[in-house]
Coordinates of all heavy atoms in Angstrom, one line a residue:
P23 N 3.7 35.5 3.4 CA 4.1 36.1 2.1 C 5.6 36.4 2.0 O 6.2 36.8 3.0 CB 3.2 37.3 2.0 CG 2.9 37.7 3.4 CD 2.8 36.3 4.1
R25 N 6.9 38.8 0.0 CA 7.1 40.2 -0.2 C 5.9 41.0 0.4 O 4.9 40.4 0.6 CB 7.3 40.5 -1.6 CG 8.4 39.8 -2.3 CD 8.6 40.2 -3.7 NE 7.4 40.2 -4.5 CZ 7.0 39.1 -5.1 NH1 7.6 37.9 -4.9 NH2 5.9 39.1 -5.8
G26 N 6.0 42.2 0.4 CA 4.9 43.0 0.9 C 5.3 44.0 2.0 O 6.4 44.0 2.5
P27 N 4.3 44.8 2.4 CA 4.6 45.8 3.5 C 5.0 45.1 4.8 O 4.6 44.0 5.1 CB 3.2 46.5 3.7 CG 2.5 46.2 2.4 CD 2.9 44.9 1.9
K28 N 5.9 45.7 5.5 CA 6.4 45.2 6.7 C 5.7 45.9 7.9 O 5.3 47.0 7.8 CB 7.9 45.3 6.8 CG 8.7 44.6 5.6 CD 10.1 44.9 5.8 CE 10.9 44.1 4.6 NZ 12.3 44.4 4.7
R29 N 5.8 45.2 9.0 CA 5.3 45.8 10.3 C 3.9 46.2 10.3 O 3.1 45.7 11.0 CB 6.2 46.9 10.8 CG 7.6 46.5 11.1 CD 8.4 47.6 11.7 NE 9.8 47.2 12.0 CZ 10.7 48.0 12.5 NH1 10.4 49.3 12.8 NH2 11.9 47.6 12.8
E30 N 3.6 47.2 9.4 CA 2.2 47.7 9.4 C 1.2 46.7 8.9 O 0.0 46.9 9.1 CB 2.1 49.0 8.5 CG 3.0 50.2 9.0 CD 4.4 50.1 8.4 OE1 4.7 49.1 7.8 OE2 5.2 51.0 8.6
M31 N 1.6 45.7 8.2 CA 0.7 44.8 7.6 C 0.9 43.4 8.1 O 2.1 42.9 8.2 CB 0.8 44.8 6.1 CG -0.1 43.9 5.4 SD -1.8 44.5 5.3 CE -1.6 45.6 4.0
S32 N -0.1 42.7 8.5 CA -0.1 41.3 8.9 C -1.5 40.7 8.8 O -2.5 41.5 8.8 CB 0.5 41.2 10.4 OG -0.5 41.7 11.3
F63 N -3.3 51.0 2.6 CA -2.6 50.2 1.6 C -3.5 50.0 0.4 O -4.7 50.3 0.5 CB -2.1 48.9 2.1 CG -1.0 49.0 3.2 CD1 -1.3 48.8 4.5 CD2 0.3 49.3 2.8 CE1 -0.4 48.9 5.5 CE2 1.2 49.4 3.8 CZ 0.9 49.2 5.1
S67 N -2.2 44.6 -2.0 CA -1.3 44.3 -0.9 C -1.9 43.3 0.1 O -1.2 42.5 0.7 CB -0.8 45.6 -0.2 OG -1.8 46.2 0.4
L68 N -3.2 43.4 0.3 CA -3.9 42.6 1.2 C -3.9 41.1 0.7 O -3.8 40.2 1.5 CB -5.4 43.0 1.4 CG -5.7 43.9 2.7 CD1 -4.9 45.2 2.5 CD2 -7.2 44.1 2.8
R70 N -1.8 39.5 -0.6 CA -0.5 38.7 -0.3 C -0.7 37.9 1.0 O 0.0 36.9 1.3 CB 0.7 39.7 -0.2 CG 1.0 40.4 -1.4 CD 2.2 41.3 -1.1 NE 2.5 42.2 -2.2 CZ 3.2 41.9 -3.3 NH1 3.7 40.7 -3.4 NH2 3.5 42.7 -4.3
Y71 N -1.6 38.4 1.9 CA -1.8 37.8 3.2 C -3.1 37.0 3.2 O -3.1 35.9 3.8 CB -1.9 39.0 4.2 CG -0.6 39.7 4.3 CD1 -0.3 40.8 3.4 CD2 0.4 39.4 5.3 CE1 0.9 41.4 3.5 CE2 1.6 40.1 5.4 CZ 1.8 41.1 4.5 OH 3.0 41.8 4.6

Side-chain angles (χ1 to χ4, degrees):
R25 303 185 307 278
K28 299 179 181 179
R29 292 187 181 177
E30 296 88 352
M31 183 74 81
S32 66
F63 294 104
S67 63
L68 264 64
R70 299 180 186 276
Y71 296 82

